[in-house]
Amino acid sequence: MSVLVVGTTALDSIKTPKSENPRLLGGSASHAAVAASFFAPTKLLGVVGGDFPKPYLRLYERHGICTRGLERVKGGQTFHWHGEYEVNMNNRRTLNTVLGVIENWSPKLPGDYETTPFVLLANISPQIQNSVLDQLSKPKFVIADTMDLWMNIALPELLRLLPRIDCLVLNDSEARQLVEDDNSVTALAKIHKLGPRYVIIKKGEHGSILSGPKGLFVAPAFPLGKVVDPTGAGDSFVGGLLGFLAAQKTGSIETNLRRAIVHGSVVASFCCEGFGLNRTTKTTKAEIRFRVRELEKAARF
Ligand code: AMP
């Protein structure tokens, strides 16, 4: 079954202690859609300006991603994020964000997008996430990602979203902020009370925890010897996860979610090995299968 991904389609300028990479293809929806496309037919909903490079459009197409929902605003400026990493790649700061065409964007779903069964509301304002949900007809499973910024500037809209989705994905500091609780286990219980049946807390290189009706699942991250650029790892994780889930022909969501999380972790590991989408786009399905098996061996006891 197919996947719809909405989020930012961006230009990212990324600085690490070793190098600087201006105007890479980035954005939550770009990373998530490419990750999902390894497993399931994927549709992209986003907006870019006239400055969006054509080779980036071709990259989506090479991955078989439907771009009929990618609006192009002539003369407009594409969302542009500038970030800088410290020597410890877990520490990143945003140097500048130019909203450009996202600022006044109100998404319109092409007709055939409305019935997509698996939907990823990747990181973007909860107003936009709610407006996409308003246009969908009975999706089977909806995951939303969010970030601290929206808790700071759009909390009521985020709280309105939570009862409308099946699964919320957020990182551990964001979970602490959302429910004011330092303990992941009690934070998970509090987030369920805000609406979603499933909650996934991401802990970067330490993996993630899923909480659902059947209890907890503790998922490892794929251990990497070298991280080049972790930008988009969270988006690749959730995109890979939902793509895998959408591709399953048997089993319930509950039973397939655990394997889906492991596949998401593996796609995220490839994302970290190159700048922007450079490594992810070179990844093969065989490489993904190999790392999934390695991770299964490493985590079994
Ligand atoms: P991650 O590393 O998974 O947190 O995602 C990084 C991606 O999020 C980058 O490609 C950015 O373009 C994108 N991004 C940065 N700030 C925002 C924002 N405020 N809203 C949505 N996407 C953003």
Side-chain angles (χ1 to χ4, degrees):
M1 282 193 249
S2 59
V3 173
L4 166 63
V5 178
V6 58
T8 51
T9 40
L11 298 174
D12 283 353
S13 294
I14 301 169
K15 198 170 166 198
T16 66
K18 292 210 173 123
S19 73
E20 246 180 283
N21 290 266
R23 298 172 77 81
L24 296 165
L25 174 59
S28 58
S30 302
H31 284 281
V34 171
S37 73
F38 287 111
F39 308 102
T42 302
K43 301 168 193 164
L44 180 65
L45 186 72
V47 62
V48 293
D51 57 348
F52 193 71
K54 291 224 166 52
Y56 292 173
L57 291 174
R58 289 200 286 272
L59 186 150
Y60 295 134
E61 282 154 17
R62 271 205 309 280
H63 281 266
I65 296 168
C66 173
T67 54
R68 287 205 310 112
L70 184 66
E71 210 179 298
R72 272 148 270 191
V73 181
K74 264 197 204 147
Q77 205 183 347
T78 301
F79 179 89
H80 194 163
W81 176 76
H82 299 239
E84 179 176 31
Y85 288 89
E86 292 178 9
V87 177
N88 175 351
M89 289 269 181
N90 294 319
N91 300 330
R92 139 176 123 185
R93 52 194 191 104
T94 293
L95 300 175
N96 192 24
T97 304
V98 178
L99 292 177
V101 290
I102 295 248
E103 193 161 13
N104 297 314
W105 185 48
S106 87
K108 293 258 166 351
L109 266 64
D112 63 324
Y113 276 41
E114 289 167 13
T115 51
T116 316
F118 288 83
V119 178
L120 172 53
L121 307 171
N123 184 24
I124 199 161
S125 77
Q127 284 91 338
I128 291 178
Q129 292 174 318
N130 271 313
S131 117
V132 171
L133 273 187
D134 291 341
Q135 297 173 58
L136 288 166
S137 158
K138 297 200 187 92
K140 195 172 154 63
F141 197 76
V142 179
I143 300 191
D145 193 355
T146 192
M147 71 187 291
D148 51 356
L149 173 69
W150 311 122
M151 294 172 204
N152 296 335
I153 68 168
L155 187 60
E157 199 61 26
L158 179 61
L159 293 175
R160 188 167 86 78
L161 175 79
L162 297 184
R164 307 181 71 196
I165 58 172
D166 299 288
C167 178
L168 179 68
V169 178
L170 69 184
N171 70 31
D172 49 0
S173 63
E174 291 156 357
R176 282 200 292 275
Q177 178 175 347
L178 183 61
V179 290
E180 294 176 357
D181 191 327
D182 282 337
N183 179 297
S184 298
V185 178
T186 45
L188 282 163
K190 288 181 186 166
I191 300 172
H192 282 304
K193 291 212 174 99
L194 298 175
R197 253 159 76 79
Y198 297 95
V199 181
I200 298 171
I201 296 185
K202 297 173 289 179
K203 293 170 176 278
E205 62 180 315
H206 305 296
S208 57
I209 305 183
L210 160 73
S211 171
K214 287 199 180 151
L216 300 181
F217 173 57
V218 181
F222 188 85
L224 281 182
K226 189 175 173 203
V227 172
V228 174
D229 168 24
T231 308
D235 311 309
S236 305
F237 167 79
V238 69
L241 183 170
L242 194 63
F244 181 87
L245 209 53
Q248 302 316 298
K249 296 200 170 69
T250 57
S252 64
I253 297 275
E254 178 83 50
T255 52
N256 292 333
L257 250 179
R258 293 181 174 212
R259 289 192 63 75
I261 288 178
V262 172
H263 282 75
S265 301
V266 164
V267 180
S269 73
F270 288 109
C271 172
C272 293
E273 288 182 318
F275 276 98
L277 275 151
N278 290 351
R279 174 67 176 104
T280 315
T281 52
K282 291 196 186 82
T283 303
T284 63
K285 288 181 187 170
E287 285 179 310
I288 294 173
R289 282 196 295 271
F290 180 77
R291 281 198 181 173
V292 167
R293 282 197 298 274
E294 291 297 296
L295 200 49
E296 275 174 341
K297 278 193 251 162
R300 195 183 302 138
F301 65 91

